[in-house]
Amino acid sequence: MAGVISHQALASSQSHWCPAKNSRFEKRTGSVRLVYVKGSCGSSSRKLGLVWASSSQSSVMEPMHLPSDGNSGHTPKKSSESALILIRHGESLWNEKNLFTGCVDVPLTPKGVEEAIEAGKRICNIPIDVIYTSSLIRAQMTAMLAMMQHRRKKIPVIMHNESEQAHRWSQIYSEETRKQSIPVITAWQLNERMYGELQGLNKQETADQFGKEQVHEWRRSYDIPPPNGESLEMCAERAVAYFKDQIVPQLVAGKHVMVAAHGNSLRSIIMHLDKLTSQEVISLELSTGIPMLYIFKEGKFIRRGSPVGPSEASVYAYTRIDQDDNSSAGQYLDAHKAHVFVFYMILTVEQFNEPQKVLLNLCEM
Amino acid sequence: MATSTTQHVLSSIKLLPIGCFHPDKRNSCVLSVSVGRRCPSARNLGLVCASNTQTSVIEPVQLPGSPKSGVTPKKSGESALILIRHGESLWNEKNLFTGCVDVPLTPKGVDEAIEAGKRICNIPVDVIYTSSLIRAQMTAMLAMMQHRRKKVPIIVHNESEQAHKWSQIYSEETKKQSIPVITAWQLNERMYGELQGLNKQETADRFGKEQVHEWRRSYDIPPPNGESLEMCAERAVAYFKDQIIPKLVAGKHVMIAAHGNSLRSIIMHLDKLTSQEVISLELSTGIPMLYIFKEGKFIRRGSPAGPAEAGVYAYTKNLAQYRQKLDGMVQ
């Protein structure tokens, strides 16, 4: 059906799927040149300009069976795959004023609120079973605002365990309601890097007090902390430990996870996911408000880039989903078949003989 | 220049704290007659006196210099107390009993918070209290995004030694430009016990319609494992007296962003309502309620006018008269 196009797509996408060690995360996905499609996560778009869709729209609506297209000897096993979404919060009131923020709990600006809402539109179709945020309001608000756009309409509920009473008081007494809830777990370990004595100072003050080069060194080094503060290494230590301890088990159990946090705590996690060196992580910049998706599969993290924005012409590739797949992701997408355009493609990475399955998820309302 | 106008302004604001309504960018008197103006672009701040004597009302009015008789222009400690009830939450939308379950706002609730913020954008705020629930905290943050004074709300963390240490600010100047936000479970919504998470039908099935109605509307009968309004009031008012009143006494302007029942409890205390009266008290969501705290007393001032409302928000009798006079002067 769309075999010819697929091949071309495959070929052109080849170079974009090699996890590049030194890649910088850009706003668009690595595979943007694959196919251009228009979609929108809003409630009004009916446009779905996928090229081959126009020729055979109904047939591509159904999930294709990989086994039946005889391309490879791949056995489509029901493998457990979970989505991991990382979102860095947007502009805070101190960003706007150019003050070192660190762990000072400063809220978002209107722009930061917008960024959170935009981020939410990009992930509105990715299933989420549990949310982790830091203990700072700017990350929590980002998570809540992003989830306001979510189409599944499950309700995020923040967990309270700071005391026996807090735990008791936040209990939900209806099973049905619990099922419709997405637990939100707040953790200081996901906080921004603590900037010690730089917190609250502007560039001038820090230059006056400590000297420009010293400050630059603190900001850009991996292991040199500012006075009474954390180095990136220290931040990474507690963030990654928490990630391995609390978040990975959720992914292993097949849960889809969203982490709404900060520049440095997320970089630390990405450093772990992508196995970056300390040199590489220093130059890694995660865009604010642009979600980053990873697929966790068979113990490995596969970076999938950023889901398409509502008004972007681009392609965002997820993973294969079996038709027999009873994973929640499969069911989730099936349930939204009327709204979600699902298309299978086989990509080769590095070697043409090594098939890797990719799923295109496009929003169509 | 506009002496008579100025004098009127003086007399009409004699009850307001001098110098506390910091007129950094705009007119400090706007709150008295803000009519149909949007706060962020307050060049159209249609305060009549502003158009006559903009500079003079921008400066803090020096009452001592006023020749107005009988008024001893003492610097009296008057503080503003703003109460804001958060707007629609995701469970409100679904008609589920929420209580202390920490459910966030809907887009409508977000808008309500922003609107509330516009109404109070000219009222000074020195410290903010909220509950430990995100819907109240977000309401406070979103409301403050509209504030014209542009001080930055900073949530205070004291849950542990480390949390306290990590949230330290090392610049005096920055600290001065910060509004501390203190979160307190004592300001949480009434805890609804075994009703939490249930919808009307489930509760009716499980407990019976009348019983549920009784729990909701009585003063002192708690649902199973939950709080009665009385119990909620006890911890909310105790906190208010303990932590918030001292701030007001010290002349600080306070904003409280909280919930239906915790705020009713506080209003019950402020207005000395009976338990019967408080049961029928409904506080609108997203509409701030202002009180002036003066000489140990709370004077209810109602709700500051919304940005698109043609209305008058009278702080004091003199202000109302002043406004009438201005009305007669315009056009």
Side-chain angles (χ1 to χ4, degrees):
Chain A
M1 176 215 46
V4 171
I5 300 176
S6 302
H7 261 296
Q8 285 171 343
L10 290 176
S12 64
S13 71
Q14 183 192 7
S15 57
H16 296 287
W17 283 104
C18 303
K21 290 242 164 198
N22 287 323
S23 61
R24 299 182 76 94
F25 291 98
E26 302 174 32
K27 286 185 190 203
R28 305 284 183 266
T29 75
S31 55
V32 70
R33 270 166 259 172
L34 213 57
V35 193
Y36 288 89
V37 282
K38 287 190 191 119
S40 166
C41 277
S43 45
S44 52
S45 166
R46 291 199 168 279
K47 291 188 285 189
L48 195 67
L50 183 59
V51 176
W52 54 79
S54 55
S55 44
S56 52
Q57 187 147 3
S58 49
S59 70
V60 288
M61 276 296 197
E62 266 126 20
M64 273 162 56
H65 284 281
L66 288 173
S68 63
D69 62 11
N71 269 0
S72 64
H74 192 90
T75 349
K77 222 164 41 191
K78 177 184 159 176
S79 61
S80 134
E81 269 177 24
S82 335
L84 170 67
I85 302 168
L86 307 180
I87 299 185
R88 179 184 181 185
H89 69 77
E91 191 186 65
S92 80
L93 286 167
W94 276 13
N95 289 154
E96 204 186 31
K97 287 181 153 205
N98 261 308
L99 301 176
F100 282 96
T101 312
C103 286
V104 182
D105 201 352
V106 177
L108 298 171
T109 58
K111 180 178 173 207
V113 167
E114 283 306 316
E115 287 180 87
I117 291 172
E118 283 309 303
K121 289 180 185 161
R122 286 172 180 250
I123 56 158
C124 66
N125 286 300
I126 304 177
I128 293 174
D129 298 316
V130 60
I131 297 171
Y132 287 87
T133 85
S134 71
S135 61
L136 305 174
I137 192 94
R138 56 197 188 265
Q140 294 171 8
M141 276 182 74
T142 294
M144 298 300 105
L145 292 162
M147 290 308 287
M148 272 178 8
Q149 323 300 320
H150 209 266
R151 297 175 63 216
R152 208 180 189 183
K153 299 306 177 193
K154 280 197 177 189
I155 292 177
V157 176
I158 296 182
M159 298 288 103
H160 282 271
N161 285 313
E162 55 269 26
S163 69
E164 165 61 36
Q165 175 181 282
H167 176 76
R168 250 187 311 122
W169 278 30
S170 57
Q171 289 310 295
I172 300 172
Y173 285 82
S174 156
E175 261 319 299
E176 179 56 40
T177 301
R178 251 191 289 236
K179 286 196 201 132
Q180 291 301 310
S181 308
I182 300 173
V184 181
I185 298 157
T186 61
W188 67 264
Q189 294 89 333
L190 295 173
N191 278 9
E192 180 52 291
R193 171 182 167 193
M194 207 271 287
Y195 262 90
E197 292 181 19
L198 297 183
Q199 291 185 166
L201 275 59
N202 61 33
K203 284 213 171 88
Q204 194 52 53
E205 280 171 303
T206 55
D208 293 343
Q209 214 159 311
F210 303 104
K212 238 174 130 182
E213 272 105 38
Q214 176 69 97
V215 175
H216 184 83
E217 189 185 46
W218 286 327
R219 292 188 78 185
R220 296 291 160 243
S221 87
Y222 183 65
D223 55 2
I224 306 172
N228 282 317
E230 285 185 310
S231 61
L232 179 50
E233 181 179 38
M234 291 157 75
C235 171
E237 202 184 310
R238 40 101 168 161
V240 175
Y242 185 85
F243 179 80
K244 293 203 275 199
D245 214 56
Q246 300 290 324
I247 299 179
V248 175
Q250 302 276 1
L251 293 163
V252 168
K255 302 261 180 256
H256 305 286
V257 177
M258 173 167 102
V259 179
H262 308 260
N264 284 299
S265 49
L266 289 176
R267 273 160 136 199
S268 307
I269 290 170
I270 289 171
M271 179 185 183
H272 171 73
L273 300 179
D274 289 357
K275 305 201 188 324
L276 304 178
T277 64
S278 56
Q279 267 309 111
E280 290 166 327
V281 77
I282 287 169
S283 42
L284 178 68
E285 283 298 328
L286 190 60
S287 302
T288 56
I290 313 274
M292 181 67 61
L293 178 72
Y294 283 80
I295 300 294
F296 178 76
K297 182 187 159 78
E298 285 157 13
K300 292 197 176 53
F301 287 95
I302 307 157
R303 181 155 47 96
R304 285 278 170 249
S306 300
V308 173
S311 50
E312 281 166 38
S314 183
V315 140
Y316 175 58
Y318 282 72
T319 65
R320 168 177 82 102
I321 289 185
D322 240 4
Q323 188 170 35
D324 297 339
D325 189 355
N326 288 323
S327 73
S328 60
Q331 286 173 330
Y332 174 70
L333 286 171
D334 278 353
H336 287 77
K337 223 188 273 192
H339 298 285
V340 169
F341 181 92
V342 169
F343 183 81
Y344 290 92
M345 240 173 33
I346 298 185
L347 284 186
T348 58
V349 175
E350 286 160 0
Q351 296 171 13
F352 273 96
N353 294 329
E354 193 70 60
Q356 188 152 345
K357 288 100 192 164
V358 168
L359 168 83
L360 286 177
N361 181 2
L362 306 160
C363 304
E364 193 273 344
M365 318 315 113
Chain B
M1 171 194 54
T3 349
S4 58
T5 316
T6 316
Q7 268 191 6
H8 276 288
V9 171
L10 290 178
S11 61
S12 61
I13 64 169
K14 68 179 157 74
L15 291 179
L16 303 175
I18 302 149
C20 290
F21 290 95
H22 279 303
D24 49 356
K25 288 187 187 157
R26 308 268 185 264
N27 192 319
S28 65
C29 302
V30 69
L31 44 78
S32 46
V33 279
S34 57
V35 181
R37 298 295 173 237
R38 300 203 157 273
C39 289
S41 55
R43 282 197 184 283
N44 353 337
L45 199 67
L47 179 59
V48 179
C49 58
S51 56
N52 299 337
T53 54
Q54 187 147 4
T55 39
S56 69
V57 287
I58 287 215
E59 269 126 21
V61 176
Q62 299 301 322
L63 286 180
S66 158
K68 180 96 171 139
S69 61
V71 175
T72 343
K74 222 167 42 195
K75 180 176 163 178
S76 61
E78 257 182 32
S79 335
L81 171 66
I82 302 167
L83 308 179
I84 299 185
R85 179 184 182 185
H86 71 78
E88 190 186 65
S89 80
L90 286 168
W91 277 14
N92 289 153
E93 205 185 30
K94 286 187 147 195
N95 261 307
L96 301 177
F97 281 96
T98 313
C100 287
V101 182
D102 201 351
V103 174
L105 299 170
T106 59
K108 180 179 174 209
V110 167
D111 284 337
E112 287 179 88
I114 291 172
E115 283 309 304
K118 289 178 185 163
R119 288 170 179 250
I120 54 156
C121 66
N122 289 299
I123 304 177
V125 176
D126 296 317
V127 61
I128 297 171
Y129 286 87
T130 85
S131 71
S132 61
L133 305 174
I134 193 98
R135 56 198 189 266
Q137 294 172 9
M138 276 181 75
T139 294
M141 298 299 107
L142 292 163
M144 291 307 290
M145 272 177 10
Q146 323 301 318
H147 208 269
R148 296 172 63 216
R149 206 181 189 183
K150 299 306 176 193
K151 280 197 174 185
V152 179
I154 308 271
I155 295 184
V156 170
H157 282 270
N158 283 315
E159 55 270 27
S160 69
E161 167 63 35
Q162 176 183 282
H164 176 76
K165 249 195 303 135
W166 278 30
S167 57
Q168 289 310 295
I169 300 172
Y170 284 84
S171 157
E172 266 318 303
E173 179 54 41
T174 301
K175 260 191 273 218
K176 287 195 200 132
Q177 292 300 312
S178 307
I179 300 172
V181 180
I182 298 158
T183 61
W185 66 264
Q186 293 89 332
L187 295 173
N188 277 11
E189 180 52 292
R190 171 182 167 195
M191 206 272 286
Y192 262 91
E194 291 183 19
L195 297 183
Q196 292 185 165
L198 274 59
N199 61 33
K200 284 214 171 85
Q201 194 51 56
E202 280 171 303
T203 55
D205 293 343
R206 213 179 281 192
F207 302 105
K209 240 174 125 180
E210 273 104 41
Q211 175 69 96
V212 175
H213 184 82
E214 189 186 44
W215 286 327
R216 292 188 76 183
R217 297 291 161 241
S218 86
Y219 182 66
D220 56 2
I221 306 172
N225 283 315
E227 287 185 306
S228 61
L229 180 50
E230 182 178 37
M231 291 157 76
C232 171
E234 202 185 309
R235 40 102 168 159
V237 175
Y239 184 85
F240 179 80
K241 293 203 274 195
D242 215 53
Q243 301 289 324
I244 300 179
I245 288 190
K247 293 280 193 320
L248 294 164
V249 168
K252 301 265 181 246
H253 306 285
V254 177
M255 173 168 105
I256 303 177
H259 309 261
N261 285 299
S262 49
L263 289 176
R264 273 159 136 199
S265 306
I266 290 171
I267 290 172
M268 179 184 183
H269 171 75
L270 300 179
D271 291 355
K272 303 199 188 334
L273 304 177
T274 65
S275 56
Q276 267 308 112
E277 289 169 322
V278 78
I279 287 168
S280 41
L281 177 70
E282 281 299 328
L283 189 61
S284 302
T285 56
I287 314 277
M289 181 68 63
L290 179 71
Y291 283 80
I292 301 292
F293 176 76
K294 182 185 156 79
E295 286 157 11
K297 292 196 176 54
F298 286 96
I299 308 157
R300 183 154 46 100
R301 287 280 166 243
S303 298
E309 278 166 34
V312 139
Y313 174 56
Y315 281 72
T316 66
K317 183 174 78 162
N318 287 332
L319 281 180
Q321 287 174 335
Y322 172 70
R323 173 59 202 268
Q324 274 182 323
K325 190 162 175 120
L326 290 176
D327 282 347
M329 285 164 61
V330 176
Q331 264 107 19

